Amino acid sequence: RKEVEQDPGPFNVPEGATVAFNCTYSNSASQSFFWYRQDCRKEPKLLMSVYSSGNEDGRFTAQLNRASQYISLLIRDSKLSDSATYLCVVNPVDSSYKLIFGSGTRLLVRP
Amino acid sequence: DGGITQSPKYLFRKEGQNVTLSCEQNLNHDAMYWYRQDPGQGLRLIYYSQIVNDFQKGDIAEGYSVSREKKESFPLTVTSAQKNPTAFYLCASSMLSGSYEQYFGPGTRLTVT
């Protein structure tokens, strides 16, 4: 089983739609979680950090479910500019600085 | 502006040649990392360093070497021993306290023929 698993997509949604991605992780002791955004042929950029029960930043909401070992990312009112690959990233507790990256979920927002 | 720079953006080499990728940061971060990304795949850790003159192998270190002579710099050498060197190489840095978010440079796309 992979340490971090994501549905690769693509998720193809119309502008204005709400879309949600899930990510599961295998290490139950993991402490820190992040969502990164990666545009085609560019570097990943930090979108949100996810702590305790989750957090919200504008149209983006991240949730953490420790019991089921998954985190989610909800995007409301999708924009064309949201089209990208979203990477789920986990910090295993046994290595305080190393991050484990999921393979990413691709989102396409159409006009 | 604070950030991470990588050069060059594109690099072409012949098989059998060693090549060194540059990574510099002015964020005053202690830790630096090198990742490799292949099409449709996630990031894989090559090497990382927490402090000057010290570094550790990541998950796919074979065929690569690094140095950390200055806090700001963490160059990666792709040697001729690396069997499949063509890839997108990403350098990142982070603090060693707090939430450990990593910040990435723009990457170097290496093609070996």
Side-chain angles (χ1 to χ4, degrees), chain A residues 41-55:
Chain A
R41 301 177 72 83
K42 299 284 190 181
E43 75 274 25
K45 292 185 178 178
L46 180 65
L47 179 66
M48 299 179 74
S49 301
V50 187
Y51 300 108
S52 61
S53 60
N55 52 302

Side-chain angles (χ1 to χ4, degrees), chain A residues 2-3 8 32-34 36 38-46 48-49 51 85 87 89 91 95-104, chain B residues 9-10 31 33 35 37 40-43 45 48 50 56-59 88 90 94-96 98-107 109:
Chain A
K2 287 184 180 179
E3 291 186 80
S32 301
F33 309 88
F34 310 93
Y36 280 71
Q38 186 173 25
D39 292 290
C40 189
R41 301 177 72 83
K42 299 284 190 181
E43 75 274 25
K45 292 185 178 178
L46 180 65
M48 299 179 74
S49 301
Y51 300 108
T85 297
L87 307 177
V89 183
N91 168 226
S95 179
S96 60
Y97 44 85
K98 285 174 64 176
L99 299 181
I100 308 299
F101 288 78
S103 299
Chain B
K9 190 172 182 178
Y10 297 97
Y33 313 80
Y35 293 91
Q37 188 175 36
Q41 296 192 32
L43 277 66
L45 183 64
Y48 60 99
Q50 292 176 266
Q56 287 79 41
K57 293 182 179 180
D59 302 316
F88 187 37
L90 289 156
S94 75
M95 299 291 287
L96 287 179
S99 54
Y100 313 114
E101 296 106 340
Q102 292 182 13
Y103 297 89
F104 287 83
R109 200 164 293 276

Side-chain angles (χ1 to χ4, degrees), chain A residues 2-63:
Chain A
K2 287 184 180 179
E3 291 186 80
V4 178
E5 292 202 69
Q6 296 183 250
D7 182 340
F11 285 62
N12 192 324
V13 303
E15 218 173 345
T18 295
V19 62
F21 311 133
N22 284 336
C23 163
T24 58
Y25 59 95
S26 60
N27 186 338
S28 60
S30 297
Q31 293 296 320
S32 301
F33 309 88
F34 310 93
W35 283 102
Y36 280 71
R37 170 197 169 123
Q38 186 173 25
D39 292 290
C40 189
R41 301 177 72 83
K42 299 284 190 181
E43 75 274 25
K45 292 185 178 178
L46 180 65
L47 179 66
M48 299 179 74
S49 301
V50 187
Y51 300 108
S52 61
S53 60
N55 52 302
E56 183 174 320
D57 183 3
R59 298 182 294 109
F60 298 84
T61 300
Q63 292 286 332

Side-chain angles (χ1 to χ4, degrees), chain B:
Chain B
D1 286 336
I4 304 175
T5 57
Q6 290 185 245
S7 61
K9 190 172 182 178
Y10 297 97
L11 190 54
F12 298 88
R13 280 293 182 271
K14 294 289 187 185
E15 198 172 315
Q17 293 179 331
N18 291 356
V19 60
T20 297
L21 312 184
S22 167
C23 178
E24 305 274 335
Q25 56 99 0
N26 61 4
L27 299 168
N28 199 32
H29 284 169
D30 294 301
M32 296 186 75
Y33 313 80
W34 274 105
Y35 293 91
R36 169 185 173 136
Q37 188 175 36
D38 294 284
Q41 296 192 32
L43 277 66
R44 292 185 289 168
L45 183 64
I46 304 172
Y47 267 99
Y48 60 99
S49 168
Q50 292 176 266
I51 195 170
V52 173
N53 292 324
D54 188 44
F55 46 83
Q56 287 79 41
K57 293 182 179 180
D59 302 316
I60 55 164
E62 186 175 349
Y64 299 98
S65 66
V66 294
S67 63
R68 186 93 185 271
E69 297 177 4
K70 298 187 300 182
K71 185 176 182 178
E72 301 79 17
S73 179
F74 191 40
L76 173 75
T77 296
V78 184
T79 75
S80 57
Q82 168 48 233
K83 290 182 171 49
N84 297 296
T86 295
F88 187 37
Y89 290 89
L90 289 156
C91 179
S93 69
S94 75
M95 299 291 287
L96 287 179
S97 59
S99 54
Y100 313 114
E101 296 106 340
Q102 292 182 13
Y103 297 89
F104 287 83
T108 292
R109 200 164 293 276
L110 173 65
T111 302
V112 176
T113 57

